[in-house]
Amino acid sequence: MVLIGACDRGGLVLDTPPQVVESSPGPDEREVGRRPLYRVRWDRRLSPASVTRATVEVRSGPQRRFLSVRFDPVRSELIARDFGDGVLAPRVEYTLRVEGVRDLDGVPAEPFEVRFWTGEAEPEPLPETGVTGWAEVAPLLASRCADAGCHGGPEPALGLDLGSAEGVRETALGVAAVQTG
């Protein structure tokens, strides 16, 4: 039997700190667009509760950018974007810093920091976000989570019901995870 899309690590507990495997902008990158999408990817999933505006900052000197921050659990990636027009000044050094995040076992990551410099070109228009609807997600959750006997039916595992949009709204959105709080 092949299990695809498992939701845990089979009881494996890692006591080494989560490691950054990729970031955008990259270290000492130059000519970065003036409306960047900040991405930092780790070697494992992070606790979503630890990925907030308080743990991510972009600054130049004393100026700190106001960011919208989220975590993509599929790619183990933090994604941030400036609120508002989000346009950075041209030819300026900035620092992207992430501090205070931890993995699902509570192991804190070392602080991560990269310097980058913006280019002079006018910023590109904001890209479409490509919001995914329930109709696109439902078949994936049904085949890998709900119908597999884990997170569906009358007694879903850990109280997480991924079998319907209503179940997801009631048991997943804004609800603390049973195993991590």
Side-chain angles (χ1 to χ4, degrees), residues 16-157:
T16 59
Q19 300 294 310
V20 172
V21 295
E22 182 179 16
S23 74
S24 176
D28 296 322
E29 188 172 335
R30 304 209 179 248
E31 299 298 320
V32 171
R34 293 180 46 213
R35 189 178 278 143
L37 183 63
Y38 310 103
R39 295 178 178 271
V40 181
R41 192 162 57 92
W42 273 267
D43 63 350
R44 68 190 81 155
R45 291 187 176 115
L46 299 180
S47 168
S50 73
V51 180
T52 68
R53 278 183 285 210
T55 58
V56 183
E57 73 175 16
V58 172
R59 71 171 52 236
S60 177
Q63 180 197 29
R64 184 175 176 186
R65 308 297 296 187
F66 188 59
L67 303 173
S68 168
V69 178
R70 69 182 179 88
F71 183 70
D72 178 344
V74 175
R75 291 188 39 86
S76 298
E77 183 174 65
L78 175 149
I79 302 166
R81 176 186 302 278
D82 274 69
F83 272 117
D85 69 4
V87 177
L88 301 178
R91 301 268 179 231
V92 172
E93 177 184 343
Y94 288 89
T95 302
L96 166 63
R97 182 172 176 83
V98 180
E99 182 174 16
V101 298
R102 60 188 183 284
D103 71 9
L104 293 175
D105 294 316
V107 178
E110 296 291 324
F112 173 76
E113 184 172 291
V114 294
R115 291 181 320 160
F116 65 93
W117 287 262
T118 53
E120 195 157 320
E122 286 298 313
E124 297 285 326
L126 288 173
E128 292 295 318
T129 59
V131 175
T132 304
W134 176 254
E136 295 171 88
V137 174
L140 177 66
L141 291 177
S143 68
R144 296 187 179 177
C145 306
D147 293 346
C150 297
H151 298 292
E155 293 186 32

Side-chain angles (χ1 to χ4, degrees), residues 6-13 45-49 73 102-107 151 156-160 162 171-172 175-181:
C7 62
D8 64 23
R9 293 183 301 273
L12 176 64
V13 176
R45 291 187 176 115
L46 299 180
S47 168
R102 60 188 183 284
D103 71 9
L104 293 175
D105 294 316
V107 178
H151 298 292
L158 300 173
L160 178 60
L162 302 177
T171 65
V175 178
V178 172
Q179 72 273 37
T180 62

